[in-house]
Amino acid sequence: MKAHFFPGIATAVLAAALLAATAAAQAGIIPAAELRGKRILLVTGQPDPDRPADDAAVKAHLESLGCVVTGALDSDPASRSQGQDLVVISASVNAHVLQGTYRDSALPVFTWSGESYPNLAMTGPRRHVDFEIVDTKIFYAQSFTNLYGLCVNATNPIARDVGLPAQLFGTLYLEPEETCWGRPGFGAQVVSVFEGDPDKAGLFTYEQGATLADGSAAPARRVGFFLGRDNFHMLTDCHGPAERDPDEKAWYVGLKLFDASLRWALSPPPPPPGSDHAELHAQLARAARGKKVLFVERIESPEGKEADEHDVAYLRALGFTVTVADQTDLARPAGQDLIVISATCSKYKLTNKYSDAGIPIMCHEGLYADVLHLTGRHRYTEYGEHGEDKESDDPEENYLDIVGAWHPLAAGLHSGLVQTNKTPGTLKWGLPTRGAIVIATLPNAPEQCAIFGYEKGATMAYDHIAPARRLLFPLDNDAFDDLTDDGLALYDAAVLWSISPPNE
Amino acid sequence: MNAVNFVVRFAASLTLLVLAAAGAARLAAADAAASYRAIGSFDLPGGVPGQAVRLDGPARRLYVSQGDRIAVLDADSGRAVGSVAPTPGVRGIEIAPGLGWGFTANAGDGTVTIFDLKSDAVVRVIPSTGREPSGVLYDPDTGRLFVSNRASGDLTVVDPVTGAVAATIPLGGALGQMACNRYGRLFVVAEDRSVIHVVDTRALEAQGDDPLAPGVQPTGIDMDRSGRRIFVACANGWLDVVDADNGFVFQVLKSGLGRGGVVFDRTKVRGGPGEAPWKGRILVATADGALTAARMNAFINYTYHDTSRAAADASTLAFDGSTNRVFVPTAGRVLILGR
């Protein structure tokens, strides 16, 4: 009996472990078992009897996870981090003492010191605007509000790891507590915000290579977490019957988010996308085989007709089967693998017909962004254009500022300004939600995003959930013919990402 | 999160709590008049030491276990007014005035005794399905009697009217005292596992565990039913306050050491000079002879108030809200403490 019984249990246990490991691997996060032996430098402030901190609790928790924790003070030099795997900066540090000690560290940094966000270039420098410490005395009402976080991107690896949908959740246990938030740049990935305000990110991350708030590239992963100095032990968690209830389990996730953030920070970042355009193009051609594209345009458009024809020809040359549809045609997305919406389309004529399509959409028309729920509905506030005589004070543009260099959509291009078009022209932009992956912004306009996408399942404007991948890739009427090599590389990366299987 | 993690992150926060306790002690010094003190005692028949204790307030009867019998005393005069016997090795006493019955868990012979509250006569003796019954609780909502079996780590569920065993629920650990709420949950301490087992009183199935921290070896348990708070006296000197809904230990208070009993009382208490009224009180009697009082400030806030001297080996207590008296059974007598 035993001979049959125990192998069964062992197989089940092994299968469960494999499933857990697979789920973690898919999320890009190491499983909890791999924390064992990880070396963590815990940076704290001088103990202050009048302002006790939870640093001892944090240390004990990290050690209970198997990590080897070394303590350091905020006044210690950065050399203390030699030989470590991760730097953890507590809110007990004096940010004026710590300053930018770990600003350029090649180690990942995980912090809940909101005042250190600017020093780490994770946010701008202005208190109340770029970051805030929500103290219970000064911000009593807000400290109650911040007992609730809003997950704005269920597709984020950390949210996926803890099974957090795009919903409210309990951050800390029931009593008003000190919290912090930051307003990171669009190079960041935001997991949760307070008060539903996209500018109050409670939990956010920067991938290695992502553009930080000061325009530089993150030397390694960075995590900002919403905790205060003395409430680690109040991070929500549940047990008993509540743990068996999926809704309650997905509500009390404070500690699970902390642990998942820690594991994300310690996980190896994805390899940077290759910068060989020929290889990218060949990869796209391989992926295009057997795929169908619905190219929606204004047939016989007085402007951009030729560019649309070249765009279609380019896609066909890659191997796609392309069906051209007029903007007024009945929507027939069934059987297609990608919908491309040309900038020759009129927003007014195109109507809502593709908004809820369950297949990926790459949209070249920035002014159509709100219809697709890529942005809010306020023209010139949430979407707009540069370089259009009557509608913009901004000059024509042919450069983009790459802020998501780490992502495959960036085609391996470096952070910073990249010339995408040969001549300056009209460039559309949108202000996406914090559920988006932002690849490029317009020069000198860090909140006007040019290339950005939503993973399937990500939260778009007005809480619409992306039914499939969505991408804004602004190309004005004639702009396809004007793309530089780098611009064409971005185009290839955009098409490839759009038709690739989503991360589910 | 596993239980170990839970323990360490809470335990490491205790510096804060010790400081808070010190502050509370200063407060108590300014309000010494409100402290409990011994104001008398009732002799127990034959001088046999008391163990478990239970008060039937409206009937003014105090039930005190004495080995193989229950002594019944007048709660005001201390006069012996009856006894219930035999109750071999009795450890737990429960009363159900609505049924007119009382119950005992008899570890000595593995039985449960049902007795009449007026005549003290034994109505029925039911064999428990587990070994060493130690705790007994009647849930008026389901009409079921729950018996915790310490040695076998399971729970016997009985219909007291028919005497039929409805279920035996395996839980594990050295089971002790219990508390239940009004929405179908029973909480049972497992003394050797530092957890509270949660049981569905309607479906009669285990629903998981609430880990305790920093409390270790929980012995006494009571709850605020409307406030949904569980108070657990632990042998290492901590009183864990648990959110009954999500099993989260959100506050810990200083208490006495050793086995202990705990009582929650929701009666408002006038505070000391300059002190806000208490919204309720928690009293803990422990084997080191301490009677710890804690105050309820709000549903999410409780503070240690003070420690009074009770008696050595005091590990259970009963509270009489009508007289603000605490009964603590000990060697040959029941100590009475009042404010």
mmCIF file of all heavy atoms in Angstrom, chain B residues 189-215:
data_model
loop_
_atom_site.group_PDB
_atom_site.id
_atom_site.type_symbol
_atom_site.label_atom_id
_atom_site.label_comp_id
_atom_site.label_asym_id
_atom_site.label_seq_id
_atom_site.Cartn_x
_atom_site.Cartn_y
_atom_site.Cartn_z
ATOM 1 N N VAL B 189 -8.596 26.963 21.003
ATOM 2 C CA VAL B 189 -7.143 27.093 21.119
ATOM 3 C C VAL B 189 -6.489 25.717 21.079
ATOM 4 O O VAL B 189 -7.019 24.745 21.619
ATOM 5 C CB VAL B 189 -6.710 27.834 22.409
ATOM 6 C CG1 VAL B 189 -7.224 29.260 22.420
ATOM 7 C CG2 VAL B 189 -7.144 27.092 23.658
ATOM 8 N N ALA B 190 -5.369 25.662 20.414
ATOM 9 C CA ALA B 190 -4.520 24.469 20.448
ATOM 10 C C ALA B 190 -3.260 24.868 21.188
ATOM 11 O O ALA B 190 -2.416 25.593 20.651
ATOM 12 C CB ALA B 190 -4.202 23.996 19.037
ATOM 13 N N GLU B 191 -3.169 24.436 22.420
ATOM 14 C CA GLU B 191 -2.145 24.972 23.318
ATOM 15 C C GLU B 191 -0.725 24.686 22.847
ATOM 16 O O GLU B 191 0.180 25.478 23.051
ATOM 17 C CB GLU B 191 -2.360 24.410 24.731
ATOM 18 C CG GLU B 191 -3.675 24.871 25.337
ATOM 19 C CD GLU B 191 -3.876 24.360 26.751
ATOM 20 O OE1 GLU B 191 -2.894 23.903 27.365
ATOM 21 O OE2 GLU B 191 -5.023 24.402 27.224
ATOM 22 N N ASP B 192 -0.534 23.535 22.233
ATOM 23 C CA ASP B 192 0.833 23.174 21.839
ATOM 24 C C ASP B 192 1.177 23.640 20.427
ATOM 25 O O ASP B 192 2.273 23.415 19.949
ATOM 26 C CB ASP B 192 1.011 21.653 21.929
ATOM 27 C CG ASP B 192 -0.009 20.905 21.085
ATOM 28 O OD1 ASP B 192 -1.031 21.521 20.714
ATOM 29 O OD2 ASP B 192 0.209 19.717 20.791
ATOM 30 N N ARG B 193 0.274 24.278 19.752
ATOM 31 C CA ARG B 193 0.546 24.695 18.379
ATOM 32 C C ARG B 193 0.489 26.205 18.185
ATOM 33 O O ARG B 193 0.729 26.702 17.092
ATOM 34 C CB ARG B 193 -0.445 24.031 17.415
ATOM 35 C CG ARG B 193 -0.298 22.520 17.394
ATOM 36 C CD ARG B 193 -1.115 21.893 16.295
ATOM 37 N NE ARG B 193 -0.948 20.450 16.297
ATOM 38 C CZ ARG B 193 -1.471 19.633 15.399
ATOM 39 N NH1 ARG B 193 -2.198 20.142 14.421
ATOM 40 N NH2 ARG B 193 -1.273 18.343 15.457
ATOM 41 N N SER B 194 0.102 26.908 19.208
ATOM 42 C CA SER B 194 0.009 28.364 19.127
ATOM 43 C C SER B 194 -0.864 28.819 17.957
ATOM 44 O O SER B 194 -0.511 29.732 17.206
ATOM 45 C CB SER B 194 1.403 28.989 19.032
ATOM 46 O OG SER B 194 2.141 28.674 20.187
ATOM 47 N N VAL B 195 -1.971 28.156 17.810
ATOM 48 C CA VAL B 195 -2.943 28.564 16.794
ATOM 49 C C VAL B 195 -4.339 28.503 17.395
ATOM 50 O O VAL B 195 -4.561 27.875 18.432
ATOM 51 C CB VAL B 195 -2.926 27.656 15.538
ATOM 52 C CG1 VAL B 195 -1.581 27.687 14.850
ATOM 53 C CG2 VAL B 195 -3.342 26.227 15.881
ATOM 54 N N ILE B 196 -5.246 29.162 16.713
ATOM 55 C CA ILE B 196 -6.671 28.997 16.992
ATOM 56 C C ILE B 196 -7.248 28.232 15.808
ATOM 57 O O ILE B 196 -7.125 28.670 14.663
ATOM 58 C CB ILE B 196 -7.388 30.355 17.090
ATOM 59 C CG1 ILE B 196 -6.745 31.260 18.129
ATOM 60 C CG2 ILE B 196 -8.856 30.154 17.408
ATOM 61 C CD1 ILE B 196 -7.294 32.691 18.091
ATOM 62 N N HIS B 197 -7.863 27.104 16.086
ATOM 63 C CA HIS B 197 -8.582 26.408 15.031
ATOM 64 C C HIS B 197 -9.931 27.090 14.838
ATOM 65 O O HIS B 197 -10.588 27.462 15.819
ATOM 66 C CB HIS B 197 -8.847 24.947 15.417
ATOM 67 C CG HIS B 197 -7.608 24.115 15.543
ATOM 68 N ND1 HIS B 197 -6.719 23.926 14.507
ATOM 69 C CD2 HIS B 197 -7.125 23.386 16.589
ATOM 70 C CE1 HIS B 197 -5.741 23.119 14.911
ATOM 71 N NE2 HIS B 197 -5.962 22.785 16.168
ATOM 72 N N VAL B 198 -10.341 27.210 13.605
ATOM 73 C CA VAL B 198 -11.639 27.806 13.304
ATOM 74 C C VAL B 198 -12.544 26.710 12.745
ATOM 75 O O VAL B 198 -12.155 25.968 11.837
ATOM 76 C CB VAL B 198 -11.515 28.960 12.284
ATOM 77 C CG1 VAL B 198 -12.851 29.676 12.127
ATOM 78 C CG2 VAL B 198 -10.432 29.933 12.717
ATOM 79 N N VAL B 199 -13.755 26.635 13.314
ATOM 80 C CA VAL B 199 -14.681 25.570 12.926
ATOM 81 C C VAL B 199 -16.012 26.193 12.507
ATOM 82 O O VAL B 199 -16.501 27.131 13.147
ATOM 83 C CB VAL B 199 -14.907 24.605 14.115
ATOM 84 C CG1 VAL B 199 -15.980 23.573 13.788
ATOM 85 C CG2 VAL B 199 -13.602 23.920 14.498
ATOM 86 N N ASP B 200 -16.563 25.684 11.441
ATOM 87 C CA ASP B 200 -17.897 26.100 10.997
ATOM 88 C C ASP B 200 -18.909 25.331 11.840
ATOM 89 O O ASP B 200 -19.009 24.105 11.748
ATOM 90 C CB ASP B 200 -18.053 25.774 9.505
ATOM 91 C CG ASP B 200 -19.382 26.275 8.938
ATOM 92 O OD1 ASP B 200 -20.384 26.299 9.672
ATOM 93 O OD2 ASP B 200 -19.408 26.630 7.747
ATOM 94 N N THR B 201 -19.675 26.062 12.648
ATOM 95 C CA THR B 201 -20.584 25.380 13.581
ATOM 96 C C THR B 201 -21.839 24.837 12.902
ATOM 97 O O THR B 201 -22.586 24.069 13.501
ATOM 98 C CB THR B 201 -21.036 26.348 14.696
ATOM 99 O OG1 THR B 201 -21.650 27.493 14.097
ATOM 100 C CG2 THR B 201 -19.879 26.768 15.558
ATOM 101 N N ARG B 202 -22.066 25.241 11.662
ATOM 102 C CA ARG B 202 -23.235 24.717 10.950
ATOM 103 C C ARG B 202 -22.840 23.555 10.051
ATOM 104 O O ARG B 202 -23.466 22.509 10.074
ATOM 105 C CB ARG B 202 -23.882 25.835 10.128
ATOM 106 C CG ARG B 202 -24.481 26.902 11.049
ATOM 107 C CD ARG B 202 -24.732 28.205 10.335
ATOM 108 N NE ARG B 202 -25.136 29.223 11.303
ATOM 109 C CZ ARG B 202 -24.932 30.520 11.142
ATOM 110 N NH1 ARG B 202 -24.338 30.968 10.061
ATOM 111 N NH2 ARG B 202 -25.320 31.373 12.057
ATOM 112 N N ALA B 203 -21.786 23.755 9.278
ATOM 113 C CA ALA B 203 -21.329 22.673 8.393
ATOM 114 C C ALA B 203 -20.532 21.634 9.168
ATOM 115 O O ALA B 203 -20.285 20.540 8.672
ATOM 116 C CB ALA B 203 -20.482 23.241 7.266
ATOM 117 N N LEU B 204 -20.124 21.995 10.373
ATOM 118 C CA LEU B 204 -19.329 21.116 11.225
ATOM 119 C C LEU B 204 -18.059 20.647 10.521
ATOM 120 O O LEU B 204 -17.784 19.464 10.397
ATOM 121 C CB LEU B 204 -20.158 19.916 11.705
ATOM 122 C CG LEU B 204 -21.389 20.282 12.541
ATOM 123 C CD1 LEU B 204 -22.131 19.037 13.005
ATOM 124 C CD2 LEU B 204 -20.981 21.120 13.753
ATOM 125 N N GLU B 205 -17.304 21.616 10.080
ATOM 126 C CA GLU B 205 -16.019 21.295 9.453
ATOM 127 C C GLU B 205 -14.977 22.349 9.824
ATOM 128 O O GLU B 205 -15.313 23.504 10.115
ATOM 129 C CB GLU B 205 -16.163 21.210 7.935
ATOM 130 C CG GLU B 205 -16.616 22.493 7.292
ATOM 131 C CD GLU B 205 -16.792 22.370 5.784
ATOM 132 O OE1 GLU B 205 -17.044 21.230 5.309
ATOM 133 O OE2 GLU B 205 -16.691 23.391 5.087
ATOM 134 N N ALA B 206 -13.732 21.891 9.815
ATOM 135 C CA ALA B 206 -12.625 22.797 10.122
ATOM 136 C C ALA B 206 -12.448 23.782 8.982
ATOM 137 O O ALA B 206 -12.581 23.425 7.818
ATOM 138 C CB ALA B 206 -11.343 22.000 10.321
ATOM 139 N N GLN B 207 -12.142 25.017 9.346
ATOM 140 C CA GLN B 207 -12.006 26.053 8.315
ATOM 141 C C GLN B 207 -10.626 26.678 8.288
ATOM 142 O O GLN B 207 -10.437 27.734 7.700
ATOM 143 C CB GLN B 207 -13.037 27.149 8.543
ATOM 144 C CG GLN B 207 -14.463 26.687 8.291
ATOM 145 C CD GLN B 207 -15.369 27.863 8.034
ATOM 146 O OE1 GLN B 207 -15.286 28.855 8.747
ATOM 147 N NE2 GLN B 207 -16.212 27.760 7.040
ATOM 148 N N GLY B 208 -9.670 26.035 8.917
ATOM 149 C CA GLY B 208 -8.312 26.574 8.905
ATOM 150 C C GLY B 208 -7.903 27.095 10.263
ATOM 151 O O GLY B 208 -8.663 27.012 11.240
ATOM 152 N N ASP B 209 -6.701 27.621 10.313
ATOM 153 C CA ASP B 209 -6.120 28.073 11.581
ATOM 154 C C ASP B 209 -5.766 29.552 11.530
ATOM 155 O O ASP B 209 -5.372 30.063 10.493
ATOM 156 C CB ASP B 209 -4.833 27.300 11.883
ATOM 157 C CG ASP B 209 -5.071 25.805 12.012
ATOM 158 O OD1 ASP B 209 -6.226 25.413 12.228
ATOM 159 O OD2 ASP B 209 -4.101 25.054 11.878
ATOM 160 N N ASP B 210 -5.878 30.201 12.657
ATOM 161 C CA ASP B 210 -5.357 31.548 12.820
ATOM 162 C C ASP B 210 -4.084 31.447 13.660
ATOM 163 O O ASP B 210 -4.159 31.109 14.849
ATOM 164 C CB ASP B 210 -6.369 32.439 13.559
ATOM 165 C CG ASP B 210 -7.659 32.634 12.767
ATOM 166 O OD1 ASP B 210 -7.661 32.363 11.552
ATOM 167 O OD2 ASP B 210 -8.655 33.041 13.386
ATOM 168 N N PRO B 211 -2.939 31.722 13.083
ATOM 169 C CA PRO B 211 -1.705 31.635 13.869
ATOM 170 C C PRO B 211 -1.631 32.774 14.882
ATOM 171 O O PRO B 211 -2.086 33.885 14.619
ATOM 172 C CB PRO B 211 -0.598 31.759 12.818
ATOM 173 C CG PRO B 211 -1.241 32.458 11.677
ATOM 174 C CD PRO B 211 -2.692 32.098 11.690
ATOM 175 N N LEU B 212 -1.040 32.483 16.010
ATOM 176 C CA LEU B 212 -0.903 33.502 17.050
ATOM 177 C C LEU B 212 0.542 33.984 17.102
ATOM 178 O O LEU B 212 1.464 33.228 16.827
ATOM 179 C CB LEU B 212 -1.314 32.931 18.406
ATOM 180 C CG LEU B 212 -2.793 32.566 18.498
ATOM 181 C CD1 LEU B 212 -3.058 31.691 19.713
ATOM 182 C CD2 LEU B 212 -3.655 33.823 18.563
ATOM 183 N N ALA B 213 0.714 35.221 17.446
ATOM 184 C CA ALA B 213 2.044 35.784 17.629
ATOM 185 C C ALA B 213 1.886 37.146 18.275
ATOM 186 O O ALA B 213 0.987 37.876 17.904
ATOM 187 C CB ALA B 213 2.756 35.935 16.284
ATOM 188 N N PRO B 214 2.683 37.520 19.195
ATOM 189 C CA PRO B 214 3.806 36.754 19.716
ATOM 190 C C PRO B 214 3.391 35.757 20.793
ATOM 191 O O PRO B 214 4.238 35.097 21.372
ATOM 192 C CB PRO B 214 4.694 37.840 20.305
ATOM 193 C CG PRO B 214 3.706 38.870 20.776
ATOM 194 C CD PRO B 214 2.584 38.844 19.778
ATOM 195 N N GLY B 215 2.120 35.675 21.050
ATOM 196 C CA GLY B 215 1.653 34.738 22.063
ATOM 197 C C GLY B 215 2.013 33.300 21.711
ATOM 198 O O GLY B 215 1.883 32.873 20.571
#
